[in-house]
Amino acid sequence: MISRPLRVGIIAGEASGDILGAGLIKALKSQHSNLTFIGIGGPKMIAEGCESLEPMETLSVMGLIEVIRHIRPLLAVRKKVMQCFTDNPPDIFIGIDAPDFCLPVAKKLKQRGIKTVQYVSPSVWAWRQGRVHGIKRSVDTVLCLFPFEKAFYDRFDMHATFIGNTLADQFPLEPDTEAARTALGLPLDTTCVALMPGSRLSEIARMLPLYLETAVGLIETHPGIQFLIPAVNAACSQAIAVQVAAYPHLQVRIVEGDSQRVMTAADALLMTSGTATLEAMLLKKPTVVSYKMATLSWWLVKWLVKIEWAALPNLLAERALMPEYLQDQAQAALLIPAMGNCLEQGYRDDHIREFHRQHVRLRRDADQRAADAVLALLS
């Protein structure tokens, strides 16, 4: 047990990292009474006692063009952070996600003999695998949310710890579908299917026509379905409503700002590929995954990406637990029977059992395991 005062440098770049950082800080404080935290964090980390040198939103820049546009202020923030850590060196530095910002900071600190941690692995296992050597030079350990990430680092003789996923800790093992339907004012005995084209207007424009065409085919074999479409904001809600208006014979309800409740209320999901597939698994919802992009972008992805599946649950299970219909296979003729399977009881039971098994596998008290790994590195 470490008894001396400890100074922890910690940086998170977006809301999900703020949640992880707050949980880690709380778990560390439960084991060590004399800790100070300084770096960059959001409101949750600040509430747990982290001194933030800059607003976290400064780092929340998405997309290549946006990063280029903000490169000078980002470099100024990094310089400020490094000056702080030079004047008062931390005992350990923890970068949470945001690898493009955090890893260069970690590398400089590691060169000065300071222990460094990357919390949330970059997707190096999926593409540009050569980056692992740069990560190895920058950090002493990686805290992995998924077991296949640790297996990847083991291949390169790099220290990594599988700590589990905080979402798996937060989501109940048995979702309360009845409560979600009651909150949405839906009948308990109605078959509900959620169509989830994505949270961006471009995704809605690209994917929703396909999903509505699939819905038309699905009600021919499963009449009376109530379709739910979540919208992240008013602009997305309006864009969805314009498309839905062309299908007056479908029972469609648009729900703004409550996607998790929509997913919980549904019997099955038709979903655009993304991180929400993990939530779908944790909510035990049979799901079909689809995605389309520009042809050139697709060929670049096929060339760069080195993984067999797009959906996280499929990577976890090492099989197509959620059927994937990407690019040329994103056709209503293929999606309709796949969604029909999701509504058949035998198929549902098999998949729900496997979703439960994977949920338990990820449910490892991630905050505490992350804290244990940090303290072990220090001692």
Side-chain angles (χ1 to χ4, degrees), residues 73-100:
L74 285 170
L75 290 174
V77 171
R78 184 185 291 169
K79 182 178 180 181
K80 179 178 180 178
V81 168
M82 283 306 306
Q83 189 61 54
C84 173
F85 291 160
T86 299
D87 294 341
N88 294 284
D91 294 280
I92 193 166
F93 170 73
I94 305 164
I96 305 175
D97 212 348
D100 291 334

Side-chain angles (χ1 to χ4, degrees), residues 122-143:
S123 54
V124 63
W125 39 269
W127 67 296
R128 290 174 56 204
Q129 295 187 354
R131 289 178 295 162
V132 68
H133 304 294
I135 296 171
K136 192 172 183 178
R137 289 191 293 270
S138 300
V139 299
D140 293 290
T141 192
V142 179
L143 305 183

Side-chain angles (χ1 to χ4, degrees), residues 184 228-241 253-262:
L184 292 172
L228 306 171
I229 307 180
V232 69
N233 54 35
C236 288
S237 181
Q238 184 176 0
I240 292 167
R253 179 170 170 191
I254 302 167
V255 180
E256 189 175 319
D258 208 350
S259 64
Q260 191 177 117
R261 181 167 284 161
V262 166

Side-chain angles (χ1 to χ4, degrees), residues 171-221:
F171 279 48
L173 289 174
E174 300 295 335
D176 196 339
T177 299
E178 184 174 323
R181 290 196 178 188
T182 300
L184 292 172
L186 296 169
L188 300 181
D189 58 352
T190 298
T191 299
C192 293
V193 170
L195 308 177
M196 304 186 65
S199 59
R200 298 181 179 92
L201 289 171
S202 59
E203 290 175 328
I204 292 167
R206 186 186 311 120
M207 301 306 298
L208 187 54
L210 171 63
Y211 290 1
L212 291 170
E213 186 182 349
T214 301
V216 170
L218 192 58
I219 60 172
E220 292 181 4
T221 53

Side-chain angles (χ1 to χ4, degrees), residues 12-23 42 44-45 56 60 62 96-98 119-120 145 166-167 170 275 367:
E14 56 186 50
S16 60
D18 188 35
I19 293 170
L20 295 177
K44 295 183 185 299
M45 290 171 62
M56 186 182 68
S60 301
M62 299 292 289
I96 305 175
D97 212 348
Y119 189 176
V120 183
L145 308 188
T166 50
L167 279 180
Q170 294 165 11
T275 54
D367 292 341

Side-chain angles (χ1 to χ4, degrees), residues 212-225 227 247 249-250 332-333 336-337 339-340 343-344:
L212 291 170
E213 186 182 349
T214 301
V216 170
L218 192 58
I219 60 172
E220 292 181 4
T221 53
H222 297 76
I225 294 176
F227 293 99
Y247 296 85
H249 56 297
L250 291 178
I336 291 165
M339 287 302 298
L343 298 176
E344 300 302 323

